[in-house]
Amino acid sequence: AVDGREVGYTLHRSPVYRGTETDPKLRTNQMEMSSVKTVLIFVGLLLAYDTVGEPASLCQIQGNPEFPVLSKDGDVMIGGAFSIHSKITQPSVFFTERPTAYKCTSINLREFRFAQTMIFAIEEINKKKDLLPNISIGYRIYDNCASTLSSMRAVMALMNGDELTLGNSCSGQSAVHAIIGESESSSTIVLSRTAGPFQIPVISHSATCECLSNRKEYPSFFRTIVSDLYQSQALAQLVKRFGWNWVGTVNSDNDYGNNGMAIFLSAAQEEGVCVEYTEKFDRAEPEKLLKVIEVIKKSTAQVIVGFLSHVEMNNLLEQLSLHNITGRQFIGVEAWITADSLVTPTSFSVLGGALGFAVQKANISGLEDFLVRDFWETEFLSNETNTERVLKTCKENPDLVQLKGHNYDLEKLRYPTNIYKAIYAVAHSLHSILKCSEGQGCNKALEVKPWEVVEALKHVNFTIKNGERVWFDHTGAALNRYELVNWQRGSDGSVQFKPVGYYDASLPSDQRFTLNTEAIIWPGGGKELPVSVCSESCHPGTHKVLQKGKHVCCFDCIPCPVGEFSNTTDSNDCKKCPEAFWSNQNRDACVPKNIEFLSFTEVMGKILVIFTMFGLLLTLIAATLFLINKDTPLVKANNSELSFLLLFSLSLCFLCSLTFIGKPTEWSCMLRHTAFGITFVLCISCILGKTIVVLMAFKATLPGSNVMKWFGPAQQRLTVLFFTFIQVIICILWLTINPPFPYKNMKYYMEKIILECALGSPVGFWAVLGYIGLLALLCFVLAFLARKLPDSFNEAKHITFSMLIFCAVWLTFIPAYVSSPGKFTVAVEIFAILASSYGILFCIFAPKCFFLVLKPELNTKKHLLGKTQA
């Protein structure tokens, strides 16, 4: 078939393929099969003509021609295809007789307004002097009855015209130079695929399927609306913006619904939105629709994204109302969100609060008057030249005449602007092709080829009278912005599509959305945002753990472990706190760890200070008593010089325990261990000196012994000094090589920091302690040997007991010191210092103080000597 004229009315007898993006091979094969069938039918017709004796050169249409619903002749012709009726009754096919004509019912006022707007724009251009000044535009508008089968018949009629015979050649000019339509993507695909091979431009005002952006498959397709690519992405962003991560989806089982939903699902996945179910149905499949209803009934998702044409949405709405399924939040698309056909007495209970994207409403001056009054006067009253055609139109479409005077829908019209742009785009293209000028007019001698119009459309750039600029991008689409509308009930009880935001696809991605959430009315008429989640959000302090075998939006909230935190909602995991920090009780933040050390303000510190001061007080009392009674026999007999030195060292021992209390610093750490080591060595050295004096004294009583001259007061002082000096040397080496230092111990306790004095060199510490232990052991052995020497006040027994206590305390100190945690380590060391100091004080000085205070009569030389002689 050269241009489709002869085979046009044979094609409609063949099954019409409804394209799908999911199986391109099948689509290609079916299209090829259709082409082969067409050629075979064409050849068969030619053979039939020859057989019956008809002239082979005569081109003749088989069957009855298809006549437009509305038409007007002109120098150039523009075709239109709209779903003026929304239901079609297919005739029965018996293959024994010619099928009867199909019948269209259920007038669609919105689509009829589209046809009226097309006529308005054409009439307005015909009156202009600056656009196609001496060229008149005619039109041929067909009704496809919302059927792809009827769309095929319409496009064939638009290309062929309605002449019964053409002459001796079946090759010729198309009846129209451009086609406006259709409203639905599936019908537009049929229109574009059929007209495409003949390079006849098709400009849709409403077909948004992203598949139509493919310039290889649809090279002559244009549209004055933005692609579903942006709308689907905007839907996903809208759902995410309101925090709905658990939604259900329903789409039309056609190119429009399948392609749009595929883009939405991909965008939703990127936005982190989970889809509980994805269902689809066709307007001719009621059983699938019932399945969709059952799925919606059982679902937990409160938000439904409906990527449906208005016909499928109307069918779904009827079933939802019938099954009383209300309270769901619907998210709609431009195809149905502002469709007047959905506004019924029961629809608001289902769709109240619905949100969706719609074509932005724009006012065109003069359009409303034309739709209500001028159109009827132009088409049905004053058209005297086409009286027969008008009468035929009125007879075949009596329901159209009933729409005369209707004006209640004018405020809700949105798409007429897109049709207005499409007509003007064609007019500007023709203006360029015909080389029109305002002074000389257009060159009528030039023959306009459809492909020339296609090329001219690619370069149009003009502004319509409301100030909006029109041009087509590389995909053939005009950039546009969507209006976000909300189904609300007005004060008079009517359903209103109230704008609550915008989505501008021409802006950067982060600036496309403008939303006024305060103006939104949600399902049920409330202001509270609906919740649609599989699992409630995990609060800070918890993290998500996915439920096995379910969507990523279905999870359990598990509290963060100790020492970890999460400060965001729906955190996937918890973060560890820095080393010096710890998670708070709610696990939503890290707080500095408590620093623990033995302080003067706590109870334990106060008790130890009290015992220290009490020990110091007792030592001073003993020293005072000895000082008062220094000339008495008892004090003289016990080596008063070493006794005073011992009491002084005991005072230092008590005082050095205070260096272990308080916050460790660099100086306090060095002081506490060295002071402890030196004072205790001084103390033990004094006791050792006293022990040696006792032994030497009794050795001196033996005949011929002069040992005391070798261990007099000077030697005693040197002995104490010598033993103490060794400890001083050990401490100096320790402090020089590797001294103690403040250390934050974070390993023993996870939740707090132990501020302690690290030993620096453990060898130094144990050398200091070992040296003290060695002197104590030596002192204990010597005192033990002298315990039975005769003396009324023999100190050897007292020294033995004191050293026994001292060694016992420090032997038990070692395991207690190693095993005690934190500040208790310091407390154990202080306890050992105080216990050993008290032991020495009580064992050595308590008996003497007893006699000095309570038995002063026994503090005489006679008593001491008498006791000795006895």
Side-chain angles (χ1 to χ4, degrees), residues 238 242 244 329-332 337 353-356 484-486 500 520 522:
L238 180 67
F242 288 117
W244 300 321
Q329 176 64 56
F330 272 87
I331 306 297
I337 195 66
L355 283 172
L484 184 64
V485 298
N486 181 216
V500 292
I520 299 175
W522 302 107

Side-chain angles (χ1 to χ4, degrees), residues 245-513:
N245 62 7
W246 189 240
V247 302
T249 64
V250 182
N251 65 276
S252 300
D253 191 8
N254 53 31
D255 297 274
Y256 169 72
N258 291 331
N259 280 275
M261 186 55 70
I263 299 171
F264 168 78
L265 293 176
S266 176
Q269 186 176 10
E270 292 180 4
E271 295 288 346
V273 176
C274 297
V275 179
E276 183 183 8
Y277 58 87
T278 300
E279 297 293 328
K280 58 184 177 181
F281 69 96
D282 187 77
R283 64 192 63 176
E285 298 173 330
E287 65 284 351
K288 280 192 177 182
L289 175 57
L290 293 177
K291 178 190 172 187
V292 172
I293 297 299
E294 289 301 317
V295 171
I296 294 175
K297 271 186 179 180
K298 297 176 182 178
S299 71
T300 58
Q302 297 301 307
V303 175
I304 302 174
V305 179
F307 219 107
L308 303 153
S309 63
H310 70 93
V311 177
E312 275 86 1
M313 187 62 203
N314 188 59
N315 296 343
L316 177 64
L317 179 60
E318 289 178 0
Q319 290 298 323
L320 291 173
S321 300
L322 187 63
H323 289 81
N324 196 27
I325 301 176
T326 59
R328 306 296 174 103
Q329 176 64 56
F330 272 87
I331 306 297
V333 290
E334 36 69 43
W336 66 265
I337 195 66
T338 57
D340 290 325
S341 59
L342 299 181
V343 179
T344 64
T346 60
S347 63
F348 193 80
S349 62
V350 178
L351 294 180
L355 283 172
F357 294 102
V359 175
Q360 188 175 4
K361 186 177 178 181
N363 294 323
I364 303 173
S365 60
L367 177 60
E368 293 186 2
D369 290 337
F370 180 84
L371 297 179
V372 177
R373 184 180 61 258
D374 297 347
F375 168 79
W376 302 100
E377 295 175 357
T378 303
E379 289 296 317
F380 290 89
L381 297 178
S382 62
N383 198 340
E384 299 177 358
T385 57
N386 289 323
T387 303
E388 184 179 347
R389 178 66 57 81
V390 170
L391 292 175
K392 188 174 187 299
T393 300
C394 293
K395 183 179 180 181
E396 293 179 354
N397 303 282
D399 47 2
L400 290 183
V401 183
Q402 296 176 5
L403 298 177
K404 182 180 178 182
H406 279 224
N407 60 0
Y408 61 86
D409 63 321
L410 298 182
E411 293 183 358
K412 301 176 183 178
L413 292 177
R414 295 175 179 271
Y415 287 95
T417 306
N418 290 351
I419 296 173
Y420 187 83
K421 294 176 187 176
I423 297 297
Y424 267 83
V426 175
H428 278 275
S429 300
L430 294 172
H431 188 88
S432 174
I433 295 169
L434 295 174
K435 305 184 185 311
C436 300
S437 62
E438 192 170 350
Q440 299 178 354
C442 303
N443 187 356
K444 289 188 175 183
L446 293 175
E447 184 179 359
V448 180
K449 302 291 194 301
W451 65 267
E452 293 178 325
V453 181
V454 172
E455 291 301 317
L457 283 170
K458 295 178 182 179
H459 305 288
V460 295
N461 193 332
F462 60 93
T463 302
I464 58 177
K465 60 184 179 181
N466 66 355
E468 191 173 350
R469 192 165 67 94
V470 180
W471 58 281
F472 298 103
D473 62 13
H474 66 283
T475 66
L479 291 181
N480 205 337
R481 75 173 185 170
Y482 287 112
E483 194 172 59
L484 184 64
V485 298
N486 181 216
W487 274 52
Q488 299 184 9
R489 193 178 289 282
S491 57
D492 58 350
S494 63
V495 176
Q496 297 178 351
F497 309 132
K498 185 175 180 180
V500 292
Y502 298 95
Y503 183 84
D504 195 336
S506 63
L507 296 177
S509 57
D510 59 337
Q511 302 176 13
R512 291 177 179 175
F513 243 123

Side-chain angles (χ1 to χ4, degrees), residues 703-716:
S705 176
N706 59 351
V707 68
M708 281 304 294
K709 73 177 183 179
W710 297 106
F711 203 75
Q715 286 81 7
Q716 294 171 19

Side-chain angles (χ1 to χ4, degrees), residues 570-642:
D570 290 336
S571 177
N572 290 320
D573 52 18
C574 298
K575 300 176 183 177
K576 285 189 175 182
C577 290
E579 191 176 19
F581 291 81
W582 192 247
S583 56
N584 60 4
Q585 188 174 5
N586 295 329
R587 307 285 194 272
D588 57 359
C590 287
V591 294
K593 289 182 178 179
N594 292 326
I595 298 178
E596 183 182 85
F597 58 88
L598 187 60
S599 67
F600 289 99
T601 57
E602 61 180 293
V603 175
M604 186 185 296
K606 291 178 180 179
I607 292 174
L608 292 174
V609 169
I610 291 172
F611 275 98
T612 298
M613 300 311 294
F614 184 68
L616 179 62
L617 178 63
L618 292 178
T619 305
L620 293 175
I621 291 173
T624 303
L625 289 174
F626 266 61
L627 185 62
I628 294 172
N629 298 281
K630 65 179 179 178
D631 296 326
T632 61
L634 182 62
V635 175
K636 286 183 177 181
N638 285 278
N639 197 334
S640 60
E641 187 175 346
L642 284 180

